Amino acid sequence: MDERITQEARHFIDTIKRFVKDECMPAEDAIEQTGRLPDGLIGKMKDLGLFGLRVPAAYGGSGMNLLDYCYVIKELSKTHDALRAVISVNNGIGSMAIVHDGTEEQKKHYLPLLASGDYIAAFALTEPGAGSDASSIATTAVKENNGWILNGMKHFITNAPIADIFTVIALTDKEKRAKGGITAFLVEKSLKGMRIGNIHNTMGGKGWLQAEVIFEDCFVPDKNLIGAIGNGFKIAMKTLNEGRLSAAASAIGIGERLLSMGIEYAKLRKQFGKPIAEFEAIQWMLADSATELYAADRMLADTAYRFDQGEDIRTQSSMTKLFATESAFKIADRMLQLHGGMGFMKETKVERMFRDIRAYRIFEGTSEIQRFMIARELLRG
Ligand SMILES: Cc1cc2nc3c(=O)[nH]c(=O)nc-3n(C[C@H](O)[C@H](O)[C@H](O)COP(=O)(O)OP(=O)(O)OC[C@H]3O[C@@H](n4cnc5c(N)ncnc54)[C@H](O)[C@@H]3O)c2cc1C
């Protein structure tokens, strides 16, 4: 384990390892079949304080730094992805705008609820017409008396059907757009004029939902502004920077689990009178996977540590997300291949993980967008 991870976090990571092995892994098939997270497990995750890892201690969380947090997420990702998702959204894209830019009143009210898991959060940026080009959003917020009227539609929003609060990114000045014309709002699900539309039917990711969020003359009071008017694009990008490292951490966790399953199977499965682990073709699959995981892990530790030191890690965060998620997908493909026909069957968990990891190359910025941002930085000036 990276030597910069605190002693306290190491103990906690050991606890999560046991929790994952003893309580989460046995529940994986049920989660996959029902698409629901067992109440008992959610309760235990609350008791462990998992919902508030990144929430500052003053507001009921554990105030973990990003490095420690990423390694907790990596461990949690070794089980069903839905368990990781509910935790990483509350700690990441769902709450970070409030943590960094919220008013004292917002922090005091919402952060303890998020840290305890009593409130579930969501982050609503993407729209049918605005994905990679987030600055082209069409959801508007128009000033009226002591608040704002929101109109528009978001889609692919994780947790939307179960979320209590949403960080919503809306257009407040069509001319300025990303340069001062986009603002962040805190929207409670109970607000009139806001509703959840269709729930998307997805290829993987059972147990964590994406849905449309629709605003029809939804009045949001001034006190629900997050940060300054016009600062919403910066707030969204800052939130995603951290989110990318969490996505990388998860991808590495999934990759490590897949690799250990591959090693185990390669030793057990015999063909031509010997374990398939003795064939060079299989050994290379394992060796390449281990090498990529090692590199991704080092990138993660270094970038998260530098973030905690206050460095600007925008480019490194893109590189880490790109490399970790692309590698994890390759590893999932190799490990499925290593399992032969069994890898295609639902009785092994490889096929589920293969479907789940696919989304990682898309959400929190596609691989193409990460490359675009890295190259833009290289070519600057
Ligand atoms: C499982 C899942 C969960 C999600 N959760 C959330 C959430 O909670 N909140 C939220 O706001 N959004 C969420 N999203 C949305 C996600 O962030 C977007 O899907 C993603 O940013 C890509 O946008 P898009 O789907 O519109 O694709 P598009 O932007 O339409 O891209 C289509 C293709 O074109 C490529 N492309 C686009 N622009 C360029 C370019 N300049 N150079 C090269 N290639 C380019 C893309 O890489 C992609 O291959 C989620 C998505 C998924 C799949």
Side-chain angles (χ1 to χ4, degrees):
M1 204 180 287
D2 190 89
E3 66 281 0
R4 293 165 292 189
I5 295 173
T6 61
Q7 206 54 41
E8 207 184 345
R10 282 162 197 262
H11 291 311
F12 190 64
I13 289 166
D14 284 342
T15 305
I16 298 304
K17 266 188 192 157
R18 285 193 297 275
F19 173 63
V20 163
K21 184 165 165 282
D22 299 340
E23 308 197 41
C24 303
M25 286 181 178
E28 286 176 5
D29 290 345
I31 295 172
E32 190 62 16
Q33 278 155 21
T34 61
R36 282 180 49 81
L37 299 179
D39 290 342
L41 267 190
I42 291 287
K44 285 187 181 150
M45 286 159 86
K46 286 182 182 176
D47 293 344
L48 283 165
L50 281 166
F51 284 89
L53 297 172
R54 287 283 286 152
V55 171
Y59 304 104
S62 10
M64 233 178 218
N65 66 31
L66 189 60
L67 177 67
D68 289 352
Y69 169 71
C70 281
Y71 281 82
V72 175
I73 287 295
K74 187 180 101 165
E75 227 36 68
L76 192 60
S77 303
K78 293 181 182 171
T79 183
H80 198 290
D81 203 32
L83 293 165
R84 183 278 314 165
V86 70
I87 295 304
S88 66
V89 178
N90 253 39
N91 279 289
I93 55 175
S95 64
M96 276 305 116
I98 309 175
V99 169
H100 293 311
D101 294 280
T103 62
E104 195 50 35
E105 193 189 341
Q106 289 166 353
K107 288 181 187 178
K108 275 191 181 144
H109 182 69
Y110 293 107
L111 292 181
L113 291 165
L114 292 172
S116 62
D118 291 339
Y119 259 33
I120 296 295
F123 173 75
L125 170 65
T126 306
E127 299 181 0
S132 300
D133 179 9
S135 68
S136 64
I137 53 170
T139 296
T140 53
V142 176
K143 187 83 188 97
E144 192 190 88
N145 302 323
N146 54 347
W148 299 77
I149 305 284
L150 264 63
N151 275 294
M153 175 169 150
K154 303 285 179 183
H155 76 169
F156 302 167
I157 307 308
T158 296
N159 279 352
I162 57 164
D164 301 280
I165 52 166
F166 296 74
T167 297
V168 179
I169 309 297
L171 195 60
T172 42
D173 186 329
K174 285 183 181 162
E175 301 303 315
K176 291 187 187 157
R177 290 202 162 265
K179 296 186 176 122
I182 289 176
T183 303
F185 296 88
L186 215 163
V187 180
E188 290 230 24
K189 73 163 182 208
S190 52
L191 280 189
K192 207 168 149 250
M194 177 195 160
R195 66 183 170 89
I196 305 305
N198 291 319
I199 297 179
H200 302 288
N201 200 357
T202 53
M203 76 177 269
K206 276 271 167 60
W208 58 294
L209 301 171
Q210 283 75 44
E212 298 167 346
V213 183
I214 297 160
F215 302 97
E216 289 156 329
D217 290 332
C218 175
F219 178 79
V220 181
D222 278 333
K223 69 178 173 63
N224 286 25
L225 266 177
I226 307 178
I229 297 169
N231 229 14
F233 196 73
K234 273 195 196 139
I235 291 172
M237 293 306 119
K238 195 160 52 173
T239 300
L240 289 173
N241 254 337
E242 283 187 52
R244 281 176 189 138
L245 286 187
S246 166
S250 293
I252 298 168
I254 294 172
E256 286 183 358
R257 168 108 188 260
L258 281 161
L259 177 60
S260 69
M261 287 160 71
I263 293 170
E264 197 180 326
Y265 190 78
K267 286 182 184 167
L268 281 177
R269 174 73 176 162
K270 285 192 178 141
Q271 285 297 282
F272 299 96
K274 51 185 170 182
I276 58 168
E278 290 184 25
F279 300 124
E280 195 180 50
I282 299 292
Q283 291 172 3
W284 284 28
M285 288 184 196
L286 300 174
D288 287 348
S289 302
T291 305
E292 285 161 7
L293 285 170
Y294 177 56
D297 185 79
R298 293 300 75 211
M299 289 171 85
L300 175 69
D302 185 59
T303 309
Y305 177 76
R306 287 167 63 177
F307 175 91
D308 290 331
Q309 306 311 305
E311 285 185 39
D312 178 355
I313 49 101
R314 259 174 298 180
T315 308
Q316 287 74 16
S317 146
S318 286
M319 290 172 171
T320 308
K321 199 253 175 187
L322 172 67
F323 186 76
T325 57
E326 289 286 332
S327 298
F329 181 69
K330 278 190 269 180
I331 293 165
D333 188 41
R334 280 185 207 122
M335 294 306 117
L336 197 150
Q337 190 70 12
L338 180 152
H339 278 76
M342 195 51 84
F344 197 68
M345 305 300 154
K346 290 219 182 263
E347 58 223 75
T348 65
K349 297 179 190 333
V350 186
E351 73 81 33
R352 182 196 87 220
M353 294 167 84
F354 178 80
R355 284 185 287 108
D356 286 350
I357 197 66
R358 188 61 186 85
Y360 281 72
R361 293 167 60 205
I362 299 169
F363 62 64
E364 314 238 353
T366 64
S367 290
E368 292 73 30
I369 289 302
Q370 306 307 332
R371 289 189 177 96
F372 165 74
M373 292 192 294
I374 297 161
R376 189 177 56 186
E377 200 52 38
L378 292 173
L379 299 169
R380 198 186 290 276

